[in-house]
């Protein structure tokens, strides 16, 4: 079937990944919450998922942003936006990969080229926040049902754990993103932040890479 679709890229465009909270197909969601609202015209997330993305202790994955104390609001907004992109975007098809070793999802994203300004601003706003881990996908202490720092780990500023913006973008979610040298508006990198009044720029980026 894949060969029958000309030019063969349609299966990578306007799709939702097969993961824990994603809809089967993208479509309009009239009431997406706050930072997820840019995707309301065509989303892979539900309104409920978008609301949970904004909580300190989200029911989506029982993940706690406050594992090393309160996360500054200017930093947390990037993690909320990151969650909205992951849960809501229908434009990540070219980077969706099968997952064989996960109980909670069958697909993930790998090496999504995130625009350099998005990486750099994320790092700038989070450099003084604290964490005890470089890879937030694995290795936590889940004994209490939520993520806590592993025994023996120390809470340190992000700027020590992630010395460069590239380290933050590429390591924190085990390669989900890659640091793109391309700039916002180039049509060659995925934007975590965009103004929906001007349309979703990531649709053209997905077409380019598909």
């Amino acid at each position: 079937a894949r060969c029958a679709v000309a030019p063969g890229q349609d299966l990578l465009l306007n799709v939702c990944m097969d993961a824990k909270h994603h809809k089967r197909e993208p479509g309009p969601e009239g009431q997406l919450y706050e930072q997820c609202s840019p995707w309301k015209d065509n989303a892979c997330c539900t309104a409920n998922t978008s609301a949970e993305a904004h909580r300190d202790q989200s029911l989506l994955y029982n993940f706690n942003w406050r594992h090393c104390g309160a996360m500054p609001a200017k930093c947390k907004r990037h993690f909320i936006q990151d969650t909205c992109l992951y849960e809501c975007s229908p434009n990540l098809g070219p980077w969706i990969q099968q997952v064989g070793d996960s109980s909670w999802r069958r697909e993930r994203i790998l090496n999504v080229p995130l625009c350099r300004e998005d990486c750099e601003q994320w790092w700038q706003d989070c450099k003084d926040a604290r964490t005890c881990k470089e890879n937030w996908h694995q290795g936590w202490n889940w004994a209490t049902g939520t993520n806590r720092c592993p025994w023996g780990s120390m809470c340190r500023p992000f700027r020590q754990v992630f010395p460069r913006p590239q380290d933050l973008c590429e390591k924190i979610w085990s390669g989900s993103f890659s640091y793109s040298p391309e700039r916002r508006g180039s049509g060659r990198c995925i934007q975590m932040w965009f103004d929906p009044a001007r349309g979703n720029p990531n649709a053209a980026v997905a077409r380019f890479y598909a």
Side-chain angles (χ1 to χ4, degrees):
R2 182 179 291 269
C3 296
V5 179
Q9 55 181 210
D10 294 26
L11 298 178
L12 300 177
L13 300 177
N14 198 39
V15 295
C16 299
M17 77 185 97
D18 187 355
K20 189 172 184 180
H21 300 290
H22 288 70
K23 301 187 322 192
R24 290 180 64 89
E25 296 179 353
E29 288 286 334
Q31 296 296 320
L32 290 190
Y33 191 70
E34 290 189 7
Q35 285 182 232
C36 294
S37 62
W39 288 273
K40 65 182 175 59
D41 291 339
N42 193 34
C44 287
C45 62
T46 63
N48 184 57
T49 295
S50 74
E52 285 295 328
H54 290 71
R55 300 185 192 278
D56 271 340
Q57 179 70 57
S58 170
L59 295 177
L60 295 177
Y61 305 100
N62 285 334
F63 195 89
N64 181 15
W65 305 122
R66 303 167 62 96
H67 54 268
C68 279
M71 179 180 279
K74 67 178 183 178
C75 175
K76 188 170 74 172
R77 70 190 190 102
H78 290 276
F79 283 96
I80 293 170
Q81 197 72 7
D82 161 46
T83 303
C84 289
L85 176 70
Y86 173 79
E87 300 289 351
C88 302
S89 177
N91 309 123
L92 300 175
W95 303 280
I96 291 175
Q97 303 278 330
Q98 299 291 316
V99 177
D101 58 351
S102 175
S103 61
W104 54 274
R105 60 180 180 179
R106 285 180 284 279
E107 293 180 334
R108 63 162 293 183
I109 48 174
L110 191 66
N111 297 325
V112 174
L114 203 61
C115 296
R116 62 184 296 177
E117 296 97 329
D118 288 40
C119 278
E120 289 166 359
Q121 195 62 52
W122 190 358
W123 186 88
Q124 189 66 33
D125 288 344
C126 291
K127 65 183 181 185
D128 296 323
R130 294 167 65 81
T131 186
C132 53
K133 284 181 51 51
E134 181 180 78
N135 185 348
W136 287 15
H137 259 156
Q138 56 195 31
W140 296 99
N141 173 1
W142 287 96
T144 60
T146 187
N147 58 303
R148 297 175 69 178
C149 291
W151 290 109
S153 63
M154 286 178 52
C155 290
R156 297 181 293 149
F158 268 52
R159 63 180 182 275
Q160 294 181 15
V161 179
F162 308 105
R164 304 169 302 160
Q166 183 171 356
D167 297 317
L168 172 61
C169 276
E170 295 186 351
K171 294 179 179 179
I172 196 162
W173 299 124
S174 58
S176 293
F177 297 121
S178 66
Y179 174 86
S180 174
E182 302 287 350
R183 293 193 171 275
R184 297 164 61 84
S186 65
R188 301 292 182 266
C189 60
I190 291 290
Q191 294 181 204
M192 201 156 73
W193 299 86
F194 62 89
D195 177 1
R198 300 182 180 181
N200 182 343
N202 295 332
V205 179
R207 281 195 297 273
F208 174 79
Y209 286 99

